[in-house]
Amino acid sequence: MFLIIGYVIILAASFGTYSVHGSLAALWVPMEYLAIVGLMLGSFVASNNISAIKAVVAALPGIFKGSRYSKAYYMDVLALLFELLGKVRKEGLMSIENDVETPEASPIFGKYPEVLNDHHVTEFITDYLRMMVGGNLNTLEIEALMDQELETHHHEVELPGHSVAKVGDALPAFGIVVAVMGVVNVMGSVGEPPPVLGKMVGGALVGTFLGILISYGFVQPIASLLEQKAHEGTPVFRVVKAVLLASMSGYAPQVAVEFGRKNLPSDARPTFLELEEDLKSRKGK
């Protein structure tokens, strides 16, 4: 929604203010628009492999959706971990083996469909619980492995934003290319009357205008939103990491989830009492 509002403001500020003292018809040079769009798409295809292109196409619809990472979602994650670790504390690590191997059939995971539907988070939780059940790795080894996995994941989710940003950076230069092509055309028509030459020069300058406007007004905001979307999911992985490592260090589930709560962003972090009351209310469900 805010992207569309921003686009409207950009168009009003550029074309609207220009229309006060100039003719919008002068900016309508179809071949300039076609050249800019073609150069933009060609640059994007040429500078990315098929995996990166697919990642960008898959990520683009997400910029029009709200974030799933609300306070309620984080409380579900903490409650899920609390319940799993509580079961471990009462019945031993082997008691969660079935929950870890088939989370979609687990009665515990089934209580938290929003978390279960988040494939990456569910896999992250079950993979490290599985290692805990195996008992072959210590806390430091698990932490190092988590850090490596998170670094890889962050690199992957940041790829769409970086790919679009590079195209946006190139657009002003493409605008100059199109403008130069227009000037070359003008130089070949030197014998034409001044009004005709003036119109041709104006059309050539539209290329520079378009390159800068499309870059900073349209493409860069998309790149920025893609980068923000990529970082939205980071806190939930930090939460899971903190809770599981605290549990491996011997802390009770109530204390372990507090480690996780402290890793949440301030705008989505429940208070200690909110989390405590939430966990108590879920016990009867």
Side-chain angles (χ1 to χ4, degrees):
M1 176 60 73
F2 286 105
L3 178 65
I4 303 301
I5 293 174
Y7 280 172
V8 171
I9 295 173
I10 289 168
L11 290 173
S14 55
F15 289 96
T17 54
Y18 172 81
S19 66
V20 174
H21 56 77
S23 172
L24 288 175
L27 297 177
W28 179 242
V29 188
M31 297 309 295
E32 304 283 330
Y33 287 82
L34 182 62
I36 287 288
V37 173
L39 288 167
M40 177 179 68
L41 293 177
S43 172
F44 173 70
V45 172
S47 59
N48 292 286
N49 57 32
I50 188 64
S51 297
I53 293 173
K54 287 181 177 179
V56 172
V57 172
L60 283 175
I63 64 177
F64 298 100
K65 301 177 182 178
S67 174
R68 71 160 66 183
Y69 301 105
S70 61
K71 180 187 287 189
Y73 176 85
Y74 287 125
M75 291 180 78
D76 278 350
V77 172
L78 291 171
L80 168 63
L81 292 170
F82 176 78
E83 192 164 346
L84 288 168
L85 296 177
K87 186 176 180 180
V88 168
R89 197 169 185 85
K90 290 178 181 178
E91 305 174 27
L93 274 170
M94 295 305 296
S95 65
I96 62 168
E97 185 174 13
N98 291 333
D99 298 297
V100 169
E101 295 299 333
T102 54
E104 63 280 356
S106 165
I108 296 179
F109 277 92
K111 296 179 183 179
Y112 309 95
E114 288 295 322
V115 182
L116 185 60
N117 290 334
D118 192 330
H119 169 72
H120 293 296
V121 173
T122 300
E123 188 176 74
F124 190 78
I125 293 172
T126 54
D127 281 352
Y128 289 102
L129 284 174
R130 189 178 294 112
M131 291 181 188
M132 290 169 62
V133 171
N136 296 322
L137 297 175
N138 60 39
T139 305
L140 292 177
E141 291 171 328
I142 291 285
E143 183 176 11
L145 188 57
M146 283 179 171
D147 289 338
Q148 292 171 5
E149 181 175 352
L150 291 179
E151 183 179 354
T152 301
H153 175 71
H154 294 162
H155 175 74
E156 290 175 350
V157 297
E158 288 174 348
L159 180 60
H162 290 168
S163 298
V164 174
K166 287 180 180 179
V167 174
D169 290 339
L171 273 169
F174 290 153
I176 294 173
V177 170
V178 174
V180 170
M181 292 166 60
V183 170
V184 171
N185 187 37
V186 171
M187 298 305 292
S189 306
V190 172
E192 297 290 336
V196 175
L197 289 176
K199 184 176 180 180
M200 294 176 69
V201 171
L205 293 176
V206 169
T208 303
F209 161 74
L210 287 176
I212 297 173
L213 177 64
I214 295 175
S215 172
Y216 297 111
F218 292 88
V219 176
Q220 291 292 1
I222 291 176
S224 179
L225 283 174
L226 287 173
E227 291 177 2
Q228 291 174 33
K229 284 290 182 181
H231 294 142
E232 275 182 356
T234 300
V236 70
F237 291 101
R238 291 205 306 261
V239 167
V240 175
K241 172 186 171 183
V243 173
L244 294 184
L245 290 178
S247 178
M248 290 186 70
S249 298
Y251 290 99
Q254 294 89 337
V255 179
V257 295
E258 181 63 15
F259 277 71
R261 187 185 72 84
K262 284 296 186 180
N263 276 272
L264 288 173
S266 58
D267 60 337
R269 183 193 305 155
T271 65
F272 175 83
L273 291 178
E274 282 179 326
L275 180 58
E276 185 177 40
E277 289 299 321
D278 182 72
L279 293 177
K280 287 180 180 178
S281 67
R282 294 174 190 261
K283 286 183 179 180
K285 297 181 180 180

